[in-house]
Amino acid sequence: MRSNVARKQQEPKSAASPTARAYRIEEQIGYLLRRAHQRASAIFQVTVGDPNITPTQYSSMVKLNEYTELSQNLLGRLVGMDKATMQGVVRRLKERRLVDSRPDPGDARRTLLSLTTEGQRLVNKLLINGPAVSRETLKPLNVQEQRHLIELLSKII
Amino acid sequence: MRSNVARKQQEPKSAASPTARAYRIEEQIGYLLRRAHQRASAIFQVTVGDPNITPTQYSSMVKLNEYTELSQNLLGRLVGMDKATMQGVVRRLKERRLVDSRPDPGDARRTLLSLTTEGQRLVNKLLINGPAVSRETLKPLNVQEQRHLIELLSKII
DNA sequence: ATGGCATCGTGCGTACACGAACAATATGGG
DNA sequence: CCCATATTGTTCGTGTACGCACGATGCCAT
């Protein structure tokens, strides 16, 4: 068990003027979001029940489970992924036979995606642990704070 | 100008039972953190003033500016990056002559990192825009909500 | 009907993110 | 002093994430 705190090697140069509020990277929203997202991903990985499924793969499969069949671009919009990113996610899911695709008969530009039987089985298993992932991630907060955080994050997206 | 909302192609299969609360991926903390982080990164990129500097490179340089000289591992702990990730970040900063390194005279395992003059000049320029990045990211919230979000995120890290 | 513009999926390049394995070095307890 | 254990930094593999450019296709207004 090692300390999570950095050994103090050196003092920071305090460039604080008396009036200006200090700019601390640890208090900036972007920094906090990066760290919080890291922690959430780590909790997902150990809690969801299958170490080979990533958060983005999971959300893609959950959406395909809801809609049955979706084009790749539309799926990307629904789960907030760039089409280039979506490409890689879908490729890996197809390689594992969790997702299948067929050309859209009504639009030759599109590929329709759907879960395989295997993919359905897996996502329904993972969905059981879904709430536990969120619960564990939000554990440091009380119920009211949890609701508030969800609400605030929804607002800034 | 195209709509950001997906065209409705198909209804989701409503699998809602009357009692159980629906599991919506859009309300899960991990999903929201991923989306919020995406947005924050995009705002950083267009607001910080140098499109070639990433958020992680920025936070590394800010920390090096505070401490003058740090080992790679310690810097990684201070900014919340894995040592393998840190490796790549530092390599790119060194390639651009923004960061310099020397062996630690007191510990042959360590490499001491510091900003070059060029790196100092750049980070001090970027620090001017730092507050604007955070301000823009938090724009959808009022001041009280902004403070609250920062506080809640700090708690779950 | 056709020409301009948007959309869809792909490929490439760059950058985080991290687990795992590794070699070199440091440290502390017996 | 010496050995078990820990730390530091590197490399490899896999997976997001996205900008850009491309070709194929669809759509719409003239």
Side-chain angles (χ1 to χ4, degrees):
Chain A
M1 188 83 86
R2 65 163 178 74
S3 168
N4 201 20
V5 176
R7 228 175 329 149
K8 187 188 282 188
Q9 293 193 335
Q10 194 178 15
E11 289 298 331
K13 310 190 270 194
S14 87
S17 91
T19 60
R21 203 174 334 273
Y23 179 84
R24 276 189 273 271
I25 201 81
E26 295 85 358
E27 296 169 3
Q28 306 309 308
I29 182 66
Y31 178 84
L32 289 166
L33 287 171
R34 179 172 65 80
R35 301 291 305 268
H37 179 235
Q38 279 175 9
R39 176 164 168 275
S41 300
I43 290 172
F44 179 93
Q45 199 208 330
V46 299
T47 308
V48 80
D50 185 332
N52 295 317
I53 294 294
T54 64
T56 50
Q57 289 169 4
Y58 173 72
S59 55
S60 300
M61 292 178 71
V62 169
K63 269 284 170 268
L64 283 176
N65 195 46
E66 285 174 13
Y67 283 83
T68 312
E69 207 170 28
L70 289 170
S71 77
Q72 194 167 300
N73 261 17
L74 179 50
L75 175 57
R77 283 197 294 277
L78 289 174
V79 296
M81 280 183 238
D82 186 86
K83 61 183 178 169
T85 304
M86 200 73 243
Q87 238 261 286
V89 175
V90 166
R91 178 174 48 73
R92 285 180 281 271
L93 289 174
K94 281 167 76 173
E95 282 166 3
R96 289 187 228 166
R97 306 260 182 265
L98 298 172
V99 160
D100 214 354
S101 67
R102 65 180 180 111
D104 187 329
D107 188 337
R109 294 169 305 176
R110 292 185 185 157
T111 305
L112 292 177
L113 302 175
S114 55
L115 291 176
T116 61
T117 309
E118 171 80 4
Q120 284 175 32
R121 206 181 50 69
L122 178 59
V123 76
N124 280 303
K125 196 189 99 186
L126 299 179
L127 276 167
I128 297 170
N129 295 325
V133 174
S134 296
R135 213 179 311 125
E136 185 63 24
T137 308
L138 292 168
K139 204 171 208 167
L141 306 180
N142 66 41
V143 176
Q144 195 205 333
E145 290 173 326
Q146 296 183 5
R147 239 181 315 140
H148 207 153
L149 178 57
I150 304 266
E151 191 198 325
L152 293 174
L153 287 175
S154 299
K155 276 196 191 174
I156 68 164
I157 292 182
Chain B
M1 188 81 85
R2 65 163 177 75
S3 167
N4 201 23
V5 176
R7 230 175 324 151
K8 188 188 285 188
Q9 291 193 333
Q10 193 178 13
E11 289 297 330
K13 310 189 270 193
S14 87
S17 92
T19 59
R21 206 178 326 278
Y23 179 84
R24 277 189 272 272
I25 202 79
E26 295 85 358
E27 296 169 2
Q28 305 308 307
I29 182 66
Y31 177 84
L32 289 166
L33 286 170
R34 179 173 64 82
R35 301 291 305 268
H37 179 233
Q38 279 175 10
R39 176 164 168 275
S41 300
I43 290 172
F44 179 93
Q45 200 208 331
V46 300
T47 308
V48 80
D50 186 333
N52 295 318
I53 294 294
T54 64
T56 51
Q57 290 169 5
Y58 173 72
S59 54
S60 300
M61 292 177 71
V62 169
K63 269 283 169 270
L64 282 175
N65 196 45
E66 284 174 14
Y67 283 82
T68 313
E69 208 170 29
L70 289 170
S71 77
Q72 195 168 299
N73 262 16
L74 179 51
L75 174 58
R77 283 197 294 277
L78 290 173
V79 296
M81 280 183 239
D82 186 86
K83 60 184 178 169
T85 304
M86 201 71 242
Q87 239 266 293
V89 175
V90 167
R91 180 175 45 74
R92 284 181 281 273
L93 289 174
K94 280 167 75 173
E95 282 167 5
R96 288 186 228 166
R97 306 261 182 266
L98 298 171
V99 160
D100 213 352
S101 66
R102 65 181 180 111
D104 185 328
D107 188 336
R109 294 170 304 178
R110 291 187 185 154
T111 306
L112 291 177
L113 302 174
S114 57
L115 291 176
T116 61
T117 309
E118 171 80 4
Q120 283 174 33
R121 205 182 51 68
L122 178 58
V123 75
N124 282 302
K125 196 188 99 187
L126 298 179
L127 276 166
I128 296 169
N129 294 327
V133 174
S134 297
R135 212 179 311 126
E136 185 63 24
T137 307
L138 291 169
K139 204 172 207 167
L141 306 180
N142 66 41
V143 177
Q144 196 204 330
E145 290 173 325
Q146 297 184 3
R147 240 180 315 139
H148 206 157
L149 177 57
I150 304 266
E151 191 198 325
L152 293 174
L153 287 174
S154 299
K155 276 195 192 175
I156 69 163
I157 291 183

